Amino acid sequence: MTTEVDQASRDNKSVKRLDRVIIRFAGDSGDGMQLTGDRFTSETASLGNDLSTLPNFPAEIRAPAGTLPGVSSFQVHFADHDILTPGDAPNVLVAMNPAALKANVPDLPRGAEIIVNTDEFTSRAMAKVGYAADPLTDGSLDGFRVHRVPLTTLTVEALKSYGLSRKDAGRSKNMFALGLLSWMYHRPTEGTETFLRSKFAKRPELAEANIAAFRAGWNFGETTEDFAVSYEVAPATSAFPAGTYRNISGNLALAYGLVAASVRSELPLFLGSYPITPASDVLHELSKHKNFGVRTFQAEDEIAGIGAALGAAFGGSLGITTTSGPGVALKSEAIGLAVSLELPLLIVDIQRGGPSTGLPTKTEQADLLQAMYGRNGEAPVPIVAPATPADCFTAALDATRIALTYRTPVFLLSDGYLANGSEPWRIPEVDELPDLRVQFATGPNHQLADGTEVFWPYLRDPQTLARPWAVPGTPGLEHRIGGIEKQDGSGNISYDPANHDHMVRTRQAKVDGVEVPDVVVDDPSGPPGQGAKVLVLGWGSTYGPITAAVRRIRRAGGQVAQTHLRHLNPLPSNLGEVLGAYDRVVLPEMNLGQLATLLRARYLVDVRSVTQVTGLPFKAEQLQSALKEAIDSVH
């Protein structure tokens, strides 16, 4: 928490101005912490703060109550200026039970505020998580400002008139906590009340009970002496260019980007998908947009999902399949088929911890080598990776551009951190979006020696090496498709060694020739190689923590350059020159160094890996230390 400035009192209580706050809501997976955090985030966005969120929850639908593995949390970082991460350490922890306290208190800085639900601190509950003594009374929390609040009791008391059982009334304690935190940080209330009435529209008595609990929490903050101070965080007016903004998660931005790509390409969108965490939300969202001509097919398995999507691409649709790492493994043969058929197809991989089914609700960047090489034969596929939740929208359009222009499957590598995290997003104007329209083949394109006009499905565009896209049913454009090698031009089945060599090299040349922009280096100290000696390189969701760490280094007087990759295959043409201009290249990845391995092999540059596979994103402080060490080592 940063410097506080006293403001005028409100209802005889002090109001203090902060420039940023990090709050973490934590409780059992059934305590509604994700909903609570999401509502607090929505109201924060409506006030115009910049924000970043980190939901963190168990894979089980209902994890064991009161246990450490069952703790669910939601962290939100909001500020009056531009921010990039959900924050390293919470200033405020709301702990709904002993497990939530024990799991999260190690992350708190000294002096942080803790709001605990004292009703849950029974001997049995504390013993379940290994507390030998009551942490609220044994002095172990003396370094924090602890607010002991009987959230369950207060909620039940507030809902007496609603005729609910104690158990049912107690379920609204998350709304009581939300009301209290909304009072503490001057969040609006109208949006939450409207949301609750909509959510429980079929059971209005539950809507009114939750609203009553929410208002009771607000009133408790107003009247209790335990909370003598409330806080204000001004809107981040200087952080955003002019425009209309909304809070958006990565999966929602991705879904919107795919719909926009469909509209701008004038192709119907077909999603063939099998539900898998953390990609399922894209399927859920796209299923709501039939008004845009979107068709969603929930397949019986991963293979059927991509098979249907590839069939839709053959039929002239924008074919998409969404999945996570285990699903990519199952789809690998069909992706190879798409490479052979040379049809546009988007494979959206929302990466999660592995191997096997691994950590379904935790984030990782460990599917890069699978996306690059996880198929039999030489089967190159372009790879695009968004950097932030909002950037998922733009990355979806970029991946579609490549797929349609070059007639190739394309990987879009998001991850669980981006998918579930959120930030403000400027809604673009339609005329700002790229024109993605394509020309289907309409007639013969080749003349045989006898003068006959025929259609050759593998006669290529000389610039892009893309083959023509012929919609089935177009008279005279009948052609054979399948996984057996094709003859160049005619598309006939071919086992000729020279033809196979030519087709393999041509498919690789097509991907190598995909037009991607050069990397741009952020180096305030001068041109590459003439100022900073250390370059930090990133890809995907490491952008926020890396950039936050770079800002800290520079504020402390250090020199460090930064660049970030969106296109991982092909790599930007100037990347080798950029890497060679610096004495040290540092590459943070949420894997064991997959991109670093590729770059060392490709450019013979000693790329230094900083790796993490905890299922959580990097902390800025952690990367700051790694960068400082790298800077010190070259001086």
Side-chain angles (χ1 to χ4, degrees):
M1 199 171 292
T2 54
T3 305
E4 302 174 351
V5 179
D6 284 322
Q7 302 293 308
S9 65
R10 183 181 67 153
D11 295 330
N12 299 319
K13 292 192 176 186
S14 176
V15 180
K16 296 185 177 181
R17 172 69 59 85
L18 308 176
D19 65 1
R20 67 183 185 93
V21 177
I22 304 167
I23 298 174
R24 183 181 297 175
F25 299 92
D28 274 336
S29 59
D31 282 340
M33 295 296 94
Q34 303 306 315
L35 174 62
T36 305
D38 184 67
R39 288 313 314 158
F40 191 92
T41 299
S42 295
E43 300 303 348
T44 295
S46 72
L47 278 180
N49 296 120
D50 195 10
L51 62 89
S52 180
T53 67
L54 177 62
N56 187 10
F57 44 89
E60 292 82 5
I61 294 174
R62 185 65 173 92
T67 64
L68 294 176
V71 172
S72 172
S73 68
F74 188 106
Q75 184 163 305
V76 55
H77 180 193
F78 57 103
D80 66 0
H81 58 277
D82 176 33
I83 59 173
L84 298 155
T85 74
D88 288 357
N91 309 123
V92 181
L93 171 66
V94 180
M96 305 299 279
N97 59 21
L101 178 66
K102 188 163 190 177
N104 290 283
V105 77
D107 293 339
L108 300 180
R110 190 172 182 85
E113 288 193 81
I114 304 176
I115 300 171
V116 293
N117 179 16
T118 56
D119 288 325
E120 295 295 323
F121 279 73
T122 63
S123 298
R124 181 180 178 183
M126 289 186 288
K128 187 182 287 190
V129 295
Y131 276 126
D134 187 347
L136 304 183
T137 59
D138 67 0
S140 59
L141 301 179
D142 286 350
F144 309 106
R145 291 179 286 169
V146 181
H147 303 279
R148 299 166 177 82
V149 183
L151 289 173
T152 306
T153 299
L154 291 171
T155 303
V156 171
E157 184 67 24
L159 302 185
K160 265 187 175 180
S161 63
Y162 288 85
L164 300 173
S165 67
R166 179 178 176 83
K167 182 179 180 180
D168 287 342
R171 289 190 177 124
S172 296
K173 61 183 179 291
N174 63 322
M175 288 296 105
F176 188 101
L178 177 60
L180 174 57
L181 269 292
S182 297
W183 173 84
M184 284 181 65
Y185 292 97
H186 297 202
R187 304 295 96 179
T189 61
E190 295 82 2
T192 293
E193 294 191 9
T194 300
F195 167 82
L196 290 171
R197 288 194 173 97
S198 174
K199 179 178 176 62
F200 297 106
K202 294 182 179 179
R203 297 195 63 185
E205 71 280 4
L206 289 183
E208 294 309 314
N210 277 280
I211 290 170
F214 176 64
R215 291 175 177 173
W218 177 283
N219 293 334
F220 180 77
E222 284 271 84
T223 57
T224 183
E225 294 182 2
D226 195 32
F227 293 91
V229 180
S230 64
Y231 306 94
E232 285 185 348
V233 180
T237 52
S238 61
F240 305 120
T244 302
Y245 287 81
R246 60 157 294 166
N247 183 52
I248 201 165
S249 69
N251 272 352
L252 183 56
L254 180 57
Y256 286 176
L258 295 174
V259 173
S262 170
V263 173
R264 296 297 286 176
S265 63
E266 298 182 354
L267 298 174
L269 188 158
F270 180 91
L271 175 70
S273 183
Y274 180 77
I276 183 171
T277 302
S280 299
D281 283 343
V282 181
L283 168 61
H284 300 159
E285 182 61 34
L286 287 177
S287 69
K288 302 175 184 177
H289 297 289
K290 296 179 179 65
N291 56 314
F292 284 105
V294 173
R295 291 187 179 183
T296 54
F297 168 54
Q298 181 173 319
E300 64 269 29
D301 56 38
E302 295 281 4
I303 299 170
I306 190 172
L310 185 54
F314 175 61
S317 294
L318 177 59
I320 301 165
T321 189
T322 52
T323 189
S324 190
V328 174
L330 293 167
K331 295 178 189 292
S332 61
E333 184 179 3
I335 297 171
L337 176 60
V339 172
S340 178
L341 298 182
E342 300 189 45
L343 286 170
L345 178 71
L346 294 186
I347 305 110
V348 177
D349 178 7
I350 314 295
Q351 299 167 94
R352 70 191 205 188
S356 189
T357 47
L359 303 172
T361 60
K362 310 301 180 184
T363 193
E364 209 162 86
Q365 287 182 298
D367 293 351
L368 176 58
L369 292 182
Q370 180 178 222
M372 284 286 292
Y373 301 120
R375 294 163 294 284
N376 63 297
E378 295 287 346
V381 175
I383 303 172
V384 177
T388 69
D391 188 44
C392 290
F393 178 87
T394 309
L397 288 163
D398 197 16
T400 303
R401 170 189 68 86
I402 295 171
L404 296 178
T405 302
Y406 298 91
R407 309 286 197 269
T408 177
V410 176
F411 264 100
L412 196 159
L413 289 184
S414 179
D415 62 46
Y417 171 38
L418 295 182
N420 297 317
S422 63
E423 66 177 352
W425 170 58
R426 187 183 72 83
I427 302 172
E429 299 295 332
V430 173
D431 58 9
E432 296 175 24
L433 304 179
D435 185 345
L436 300 176
R437 288 176 293 182
V438 296
Q439 295 295 322
F440 290 111
T442 57
N445 59 2
H446 181 71
Q447 188 176 68
L448 299 177
D450 63 1
T452 304
E453 297 285 336
V454 297
F455 174 67
W456 273 17
Y458 284 86
L459 188 67
R460 301 178 183 278
D461 182 290
Q463 297 299 317
T464 65
L465 300 182
R467 78 174 186 90
W469 193 0
V471 176
T474 305
L477 304 192
E478 299 84 357
H479 60 284
R480 178 185 290 109
I481 66 168
I484 300 296
E485 184 66 282
K486 314 297 187 302
Q487 184 179 29
D488 184 38
S490 71
N492 295 328
I493 290 176
S494 173
Y495 293 97
D496 178 65
N499 179 77
H500 179 60
D501 183 90
H502 172 73
M503 292 294 276
V504 167
R505 295 181 186 277
T506 300
R507 287 189 290 261
Q508 183 65 57
K510 181 173 68 170
V511 172
D512 290 342
V514 170
E515 185 177 335
V516 301
D518 285 347
V519 293
V520 177
V521 180
D522 174 18
D523 188 351
S525 55
Q530 299 181 30
K533 303 298 182 184
V534 173
L535 171 71
V536 56
L537 171 72
W539 69 276
S541 66
T542 58
Y543 173 78
I546 289 174
T547 307
V550 166
R551 288 180 179 180
R552 294 184 181 190
I553 292 285
R554 290 174 180 172
R555 282 198 298 264
Q559 290 187 338
V560 62
Q562 178 188 3
T563 192
H564 204 79
L565 295 179
R566 162 171 282 172
H567 299 95
L568 302 171
N569 193 34
L571 292 163
S573 60
N574 69 331
L575 182 59
E577 179 184 351
V578 167
L579 297 179
Y582 290 89
D583 293 348
R584 182 83 75 244
V585 178
V586 179
L587 174 52
E589 296 184 80
M590 291 188 294
N591 55 48
L592 296 183
Q594 295 189 11
L595 180 60
T597 298
L598 296 175
L599 296 183
R600 291 187 196 112
R602 172 78 177 270
Y603 300 108
L604 303 182
V605 172
D606 184 20
V607 178
R608 302 293 179 90
S609 285
V610 177
T611 63
Q612 173 174 293
V613 282
T614 62
L616 294 170
F618 282 104
K619 293 182 178 180
E621 182 180 12
Q622 173 187 0
L623 295 184
Q624 180 186 5
S625 298
L627 292 178
K628 187 177 186 305
E629 182 179 338
I631 292 169
D632 292 343
S633 70
V634 297
H635 287 93

